[in-house]
Amino acid sequence: LVPCALAGETNGKSNNLNHCLQNVIYKDYYPVNPNGPKIPKHEVLVVFDADMVAKPNFFTKILEVMMNDDCALCLTPQGFNNVDAQSDIFNNLNLSFWEYMLPGCDALGYIACTGTNFCLRSFPLADCGWFPSFTITEDYALGMMLKAKGYKAGYLNEYLAIGEAPEE
């Protein structure tokens, strides 16, 4: 992808995703094309960080949550194959966040997006103005934007993609 940043934009990941979505995948659809058809409500996309590898059942498991038409986003936890929980002095695993905080927040209707290992409906993303590029924390900004527009999300507390944490 060719990065395309505008003045004031700070997020290369968002810019690259938005460029692909707006100029390739959804260029003929509303809101990119004001005269085009709306993006179908069943269209979804999945985002992974470059170090994450999805398990073979990732998509089928996450689609179980996305079968609810009211669900705009489904997040799964981040896990790392090169971190031993017993010696995780830098808290790379962040188990209290993934296994306790997010399930509680999910029960309260909070929309969490952590930037990887998630499935998102395309129309709500477009309705929010695509991935936020005004901040380096595009994931949390997107969650707040979805919530502000009345969308709902789900948290699937299963490690369905595994990555590699920095070793330094």
Side-chain angles (χ1 to χ4, degrees):
L1 295 175
V2 177
C4 53
L6 300 174
E9 293 182 331
T10 60
N11 192 305
K13 179 180 177 181
S14 288
N15 288 328
N16 285 330
L17 287 166
N18 289 341
H19 180 79
C20 181
L21 292 167
Q22 294 173 13
N23 296 296
V24 179
I25 299 172
Y26 295 116
K27 67 179 180 175
D28 297 326
Y29 288 87
Y30 178 86
V32 177
N33 176 355
N35 298 319
K38 280 188 171 181
I39 298 169
K41 70 177 185 176
H42 62 273
E43 294 233 356
V44 298
L45 59 106
V46 176
V47 177
F48 295 103
D49 282 348
D51 67 311
M52 290 290 164
V53 177
K55 292 183 178 180
N57 64 341
F58 178 91
F59 206 60
T60 55
K61 295 293 278 185
I62 210 163
L63 281 181
E64 291 176 14
V65 177
M66 298 298 290
M67 290 297 292
N68 178 349
D69 287 342
D70 291 335
C71 186
L73 180 144
C74 180
L75 174 70
T76 66
Q78 294 180 33
F80 301 100
N81 63 9
N82 63 331
V83 177
D84 175 24
Q86 301 301 316
S87 59
D88 185 17
I89 61 171
F90 297 112
N91 197 27
N92 286 307
L93 295 176
N94 205 0
L95 294 177
S96 61
F97 178 72
W98 297 111
E99 296 186 13
Y100 303 107
M101 188 173 169
L102 280 181
C105 290
D106 180 51
L108 296 172
Y110 170 72
I111 294 182
C113 181
T114 59
T116 188
N117 307 351
F118 69 93
C119 183
L120 175 64
R121 289 190 193 279
S122 301
F123 183 79
L125 175 63
D127 188 38
C128 287
W130 307 99
F131 287 97
S133 58
F134 57 86
T135 176
I136 60 168
T137 56
E138 84 289 338
D139 43 10
Y140 270 81
L142 177 62
M144 290 185 283
M145 292 163 66
L146 287 165
K147 183 72 171 172
K149 290 250 184 191
Y151 292 107
K152 296 182 181 355
Y155 177 64
L156 179 59
N157 195 5
E158 288 188 47
Y159 291 84
L160 298 173
I162 303 296
E164 229 176 83
E167 293 186 9
E168 296 178 8

